[in-house]
Amino acid sequence: MRFIPVTVTFAMTLLSACALAQDETDLPVVTEYGYATAAAGVQTFSGDDIRRHFQTLGQFLAGITGVQVQHSGAIGDPVLISVRGATAGQTNVLVNGVRLNDAQGGGYDISEIPLSMIERVELITSGSNGGDYDSAIGGTLNIITRTSESERLIRTSIGSFGYRQVSYRQMAGRVAVYADSVRTHNDFSYPVPTPFDGGPAGSDEALNNAGFYRHNLQLSAQAAGINSRIFWRHQNKLIPDYFRNSPNNNANYEEREAGLSIGNIDQALDSGLNWRWHTRYSNNREVYQDRLSVIGLGNDDNRYQSEHADLQLSPGWRDGALILTASANLSFDDFHARYVNDSDSRDCLTLQGQCDQSAEQWTSLLQAGANYQWSPQVSSRFHLYQQQLRTTNWRTDAQDSQSQTDAQQFSGGSAEIHWQSDELTVQLSGRNSVRLPTMYERYGDRGLMLGNDELAAETADTVSLDAEYFSNFGTAKFTVFRREIDNVIVPVYDSRGIGRYENTSEATLNGIEATVNSSFRLGSLWVEPEFGASRYQSQVQSDVKSYDGKQLAGIYHGRYTSALRLLYGGHSFTTRYEIAGDLFFDQGNVVEGDTRESLDVAYLWQQTYWMLSLTINNLTDNRYRDFTNRPVVGRSLVGALEFEF
């Protein structure tokens, strides 16, 4: 499998040698944010544009070719992303250049950040861009939050199923204040398999006990190039009984998070030596309660607490066409689980893995890289990293409460060659990546799965070719890539139905992605069409017979999108259509998802100081089964009114 990096490195060395013969004078100025320069595998989007046209970040990302948004239910349920056929855990999510994939589950819920707090969004799908960008098997989403404001903004929304939202931001002296609150009943129609009232199987009923609320607050300040942020979030999700829709249900999952960050890691590199750093701390407390025993098998009162802290130092040197970068990152995560009403959990006797326990994880990451502009047309980059992991787990009250410690070390890197002209950009890149097992996979997922502290990390080699063509009529992007993955981690269930995570297989994934968009004028009317397509072919090689030769689960292998935006004066009308298929819910490809077909329409009326919008999601009311193997929310409407003053 290691032939991919060798082949790519040889090709890049040859191309770079050829580029040396070109004139190095009059090199263009490279505009750089953090470690990222303009490249075919990097896209940047304005937070204000996203906020005006979309209700959530997930809705916006769902329209990008190569990105699949994995929404596990209604508003308030986690929203994860997949980039280029990777899992959510294999996709890095950064906030202000700092990786926030949690050590417990491996992903990051992108719905936690309100749109009003976002300055811009960067999507890195291939190539080397320094920092944690390069360690992702799939790709990286970097969310840059706002730090200062020139005007006040207030936005309010109202929609179907009791949806209400309000956000506000302004400067208070030298501090920027951001506040957001959302609340919804989530009482949409759902086909209940066995209705509580004895009705026919599959009867459509409004969901009971499905509401959700979330409150966000962030204070930001900037002084001497250093950004400081204090953030707080409180949310509560009521858990519906999807099987019977019992009205006698008060199960809920409550979460509180608070933290702070400070540093200048997101500053651009100046000429000469630059010293950049960042530190962050957050504390998260979760409570799951099912006092009437509707969802589970008993009276649940489960408490979970986690902490995260990290420190990063990133020196960089810039001298003309040469950029040298390095970084050292040390992070700490811990997790504590306590099952208040389960006496067996104290001695860890529950078969499913419900156990009062604690775990902690130390991770160090050393990185170094270089960018060089060989000529106005040709540039190259390479990046190396070494990662060390140390985890410890102990049972809180059990007699065998001795701790178990494991240490592992990984290394990898990436390289690319980039050529551009006025009309065409071509990039060839290769990357060796690793995904560490999560703490849930190692030590048990809150009683849902047994742990496996012998898990090995997933490793992957990816080679990709990206091309982008520019003309007066629009742009066309094309990507082809191949990924080979070792030690794929999957859930395996025994005859009792009890599951644990195992390294069971290898896998290959070949992909083709294409996007075409245009913009032209018909009198006073601007027309902006866009078309996107992605097609993946995957195959698993596994010692487990039922998995061998199957396709990877959890991704759509075929997905096609189209959009049309019409602009006239301050008015904008947009339609978005998507069709996707070849989704499997299980590793054995026994349960296949429905064809995903959705049509959204949106109207926007924008003036200098105010904006009015109306969005209809899933206009055709197609309730296909998505990633949770449950029907999605049907047609919904959201209206929004926004003022800047």
Side-chain angles (χ1 to χ4, degrees):
M1 194 172 100
R2 303 303 173 196
F3 73 91
I4 290 181
V6 174
T7 304
V8 174
T9 301
F10 175 78
M12 292 178 181
T13 303
L14 181 61
L15 287 171
S16 298
C18 295
L20 278 170
Q22 299 193 33
D23 184 11
E24 296 185 15
T25 61
D26 299 323
L27 296 181
V29 176
V30 179
T31 302
E32 179 157 335
Y33 169 77
Y35 293 147
T37 55
V42 181
Q43 302 176 71
T44 302
F45 308 95
S46 163
D48 284 338
D49 287 344
I50 297 172
R51 188 193 75 251
R52 294 185 183 109
H53 294 93
F54 297 89
Q55 179 187 351
T56 66
L57 180 59
Q59 290 177 353
F60 162 71
L61 293 172
I64 300 177
T65 302
V67 177
Q68 297 185 23
V69 177
Q70 302 175 349
H71 196 178
S72 58
I75 296 174
D77 291 312
V79 180
L80 307 176
I81 66 166
S82 162
V83 176
R84 289 196 172 173
T87 66
Q90 296 169 347
T91 301
N92 282 350
V93 177
L94 283 63
V95 175
N96 303 312
V98 179
R99 186 175 184 268
L100 288 190
N101 295 58
D102 69 77
Q104 286 72 43
Y108 181 79
D109 183 0
I110 60 173
S111 69
E112 294 180 1
I113 301 181
L115 292 182
S116 60
M117 297 183 185
I118 297 177
E119 175 72 24
R120 66 182 178 276
V121 171
E122 297 172 346
L123 179 65
I124 300 95
T125 53
S126 63
S128 168
N129 291 278
D132 272 337
Y133 297 147
D134 302 279
S135 62
I137 290 177
T140 297
L141 179 72
N142 188 18
I143 303 170
I144 312 301
T145 61
R146 305 175 70 94
T147 56
S148 62
E149 301 299 327
S150 59
E151 297 178 324
R152 297 182 181 91
L153 181 142
I154 185 169
R155 177 186 177 93
T156 182
S157 304
I158 187 170
S160 303
F161 315 122
Y163 178 83
R164 290 162 289 170
Q165 181 264 348
V166 61
S167 59
Y168 180 77
R169 69 188 191 204
Q170 75 160 82
M171 291 295 295
R174 301 181 64 178
V175 177
V177 179
Y178 304 89
D180 183 270
S181 178
V182 60
R183 185 181 296 269
T184 179
H185 300 319
N186 277 334
D187 53 351
F188 52 89
S189 181
Y190 183 83
V192 181
T194 309
F196 181 84
D197 60 6
S203 297
D204 278 343
E205 298 182 1
L207 270 183
N208 295 314
N209 195 61
F212 168 77
Y213 68 79
R214 175 168 54 226
H215 309 306
N216 287 77
L217 178 65
Q218 176 177 293
L219 305 178
S220 303
Q222 187 178 52
I226 297 176
N227 295 319
S228 304
R229 297 175 176 90
I230 299 175
F231 53 90
W232 170 85
R233 174 174 57 88
H234 176 212
Q235 66 182 52
N236 188 18
K237 176 69 174 71
L238 303 183
I239 310 299
D241 176 10
Y242 286 104
F243 187 69
R244 303 184 64 205
N245 199 29
S246 171
N248 306 315
N249 176 20
N250 61 4
N252 68 95
Y253 201 100
E254 185 176 21
E255 185 176 357
R256 299 174 186 267
E257 181 186 31
L260 58 88
S261 66
I262 183 172
N264 65 347
I265 200 71
D266 51 358
Q267 296 298 308
L269 280 175
D270 296 323
S271 296
L273 181 62
N274 296 256
W275 289 96
R276 295 181 295 179
W277 58 278
H278 180 92
T279 185
R280 186 180 189 274
Y281 171 81
S282 62
N283 183 289
N284 187 290
R285 296 175 182 267
E286 302 167 79
V287 178
Y288 170 66
Q289 293 181 326
D290 180 16
R291 298 191 182 279
L292 299 179
S293 305
V294 175
I295 305 299
L297 300 177
N299 180 352
D300 290 314
D301 186 3
N302 307 338
R303 313 294 176 91
Y304 312 103
Q305 180 180 348
S306 60
E307 290 181 293
H308 172 83
D310 66 68
L311 175 64
Q312 180 175 341
L313 178 64
S314 300
W317 174 271
R318 182 170 183 171
D319 184 10
L322 176 65
I323 298 175
L324 300 177
T325 60
S327 71
N329 181 282
L330 179 65
S331 62
F332 169 78
D333 294 273
D334 70 358
F335 175 74
H336 307 276
R338 180 169 176 254
Y339 301 87
V340 177
N341 295 335
D342 186 351
S343 58
D344 290 341
S345 69
R346 297 178 62 85
D347 295 318
C348 299
L349 300 177
T350 306
L351 291 176
Q352 285 80 1
Q354 206 165 70
C355 175
D356 290 357
Q357 62 176 328
S358 298
E360 64 180 33
Q361 174 174 293
W362 289 89
T363 306
S364 63
L365 181 62
L366 301 177
Q367 305 176 89
N371 302 353
Y372 192 75
Q373 190 84 31
W374 300 97
S375 73
Q377 291 78 34
V378 181
S379 63
S380 63
R381 306 172 186 165
F382 78 89
H383 173 259
L384 302 173
Y385 70 87
Q386 184 178 70
Q387 193 167 23
Q388 292 183 325
L389 170 72
R390 183 180 183 275
T391 62
T392 302
N393 168 250
W394 64 94
R395 298 174 175 180
T396 309
D397 299 301
Q399 293 181 358
D400 60 339
S401 58
Q402 73 274 8
S403 63
Q404 300 176 355
T405 302
D406 179 52
Q408 300 182 46
Q409 180 174 300
F410 311 93
S411 60
S414 61
E416 72 180 63
I417 186 76
H418 182 84
W419 178 87
Q420 67 178 26
S421 67
D422 293 338
E423 296 182 340
L424 182 65
T425 296
V426 179
Q427 177 177 287
L428 175 66
S429 62
R431 179 164 56 195
N432 172 248
S433 310
V434 62
R435 182 187 80 84
L436 303 177
T438 68
M439 296 172 78
Y440 287 159
E441 291 169 340
R442 286 180 176 275
Y443 306 122
D445 185 357
R446 296 166 291 187
L448 301 176
M449 298 283 290
L450 292 173
N452 180 2
D453 56 11
E454 297 180 354
L455 282 175
E458 295 178 336
T459 59
D461 291 333
T462 304
V463 61
S464 61
L465 177 65
D466 299 83
E468 186 170 3
Y469 174 76
F470 306 89
S471 73
N472 294 331
F473 298 100
T475 63
K477 301 178 182 179
F478 178 80
T479 296
V480 58
F481 69 92
R482 176 179 174 84
R483 180 178 304 134
E484 299 179 350
I485 313 172
D486 276 337
N487 299 322
V488 177
I489 299 174
V490 300
V492 176
Y493 296 86
D494 62 20
S495 59
R496 302 169 296 176
I498 296 176
R500 62 181 264 155
Y501 293 97
E502 300 278 0
N503 294 112
T504 63
S505 57
E506 299 177 357
T508 59
L509 177 69
N510 299 313
I512 297 176
E513 299 171 352
T515 304
V516 178
N517 58 57
S518 181
S519 179
F520 55 90
R521 190 168 184 170
L522 298 175
S524 299
L525 178 68
W526 279 98
V527 181
E528 298 180 351
E530 180 174 297
F531 305 92
S534 60
R535 186 68 196 178
Y536 306 138
Q537 182 183 48
S538 66
Q539 186 174 30
V540 175
Q541 301 89 43
S542 175
D543 295 333
V544 180
K545 187 176 180 179
S546 60
Y547 298 167
D548 189 50
K550 300 299 193 296
Q551 297 189 74
L552 288 169
I555 61 169
Y556 286 106
H557 285 71
R559 183 169 176 266
Y560 310 92
T561 62
S562 64
L564 177 64
R565 179 177 297 178
L566 305 175
L567 300 100
Y568 181 84
H571 303 272
S572 169
F573 178 77
T574 306
T575 63
R576 305 180 190 91
Y577 175 75
E578 174 188 9
I579 184 168
D582 292 341
L583 167 71
F584 296 97
F585 297 115
D586 64 314
Q587 305 297 327
N589 294 177
V590 176
V591 184
E592 185 175 0
D594 298 333
T595 297
R596 176 188 179 114
E597 188 172 6
S598 179
L599 175 64
D600 302 335
V601 298
Y603 167 74
L604 172 68
W605 184 13
Q606 184 175 349
Q607 297 297 308
T608 304
Y609 298 108
W610 60 271
M611 182 204 76
L612 177 68
S613 67
L614 175 65
T615 302
I616 306 176
N617 298 309
N618 196 0
L619 178 65
T620 56
D621 200 30
N622 183 13
R623 291 183 289 173
Y624 50 87
R625 293 176 303 149
D626 209 347
F627 295 97
T628 58
N629 198 16
R630 292 196 296 261
V632 299
V633 179
R635 183 188 303 111
S636 63
L637 287 76
V638 176
L641 181 62
E642 179 180 298
F643 292 95
E644 285 187 283
F645 55 96

